Amino acid sequence: MADQAFRHRHIPVSGVLKDKGHNTVTKTRILAGMTHSARQQVVRVDREPDAPPNSHLTRELVLAAREYARASDALLVSITAMGRRLPRS
């Protein structure tokens, strides 16, 4: 879906890797409050996939990130794996 929006705006997606067999964390937010009052999040339930991401795609991602980092002045990385699946150095 996002890649279609990027292509529509002529944003390159050549560096996007997809793992069709892996889902991201599904987050469900439970809100409290009535119709005419402020609603606040009171609970969030996270459902994580059972299996880790494809190891081949993970390696491809690391190699691509290194290549992009060498060719860039700056690199912004967002990691949402909560630290438990990240490789340790």
Side-chain angles (χ1 to χ4, degrees):
M1 292 172 65
D3 59 338
Q4 291 174 345
F6 289 156
R7 284 189 182 104
H8 180 73
R9 291 172 179 81
H10 306 289
I11 299 170
V13 294
S14 60
V16 174
L17 299 175
K18 293 182 185 179
D19 185 351
K20 293 182 180 183
H22 184 78
N23 294 322
T24 58
V25 175
T26 300
K27 300 174 183 177
T28 302
R29 292 168 174 83
I30 310 299
L31 304 177
M34 301 299 285
T35 305
H36 299 291
S37 66
R39 296 174 57 97
Q40 294 182 327
Q41 178 179 319
V42 293
V43 177
R44 187 178 87 185
V45 179
D46 293 353
R47 287 178 299 285
E48 298 184 17
D50 294 329
N54 177 300
S55 60
H56 174 72
L57 286 178
T58 301
R59 179 162 171 67
E60 290 295 316
L61 178 62
V62 169
L63 294 173
R66 287 181 183 156
E67 185 177 327
Y68 282 113
R70 278 190 223 103
S72 302
D73 294 327
L75 181 65
L76 174 64
V77 179
S78 175
I79 300 173
T80 58
M82 301 166 69
R84 61 189 184 92
R85 292 193 183 129
L86 299 176
R88 304 281 183 214
S89 34

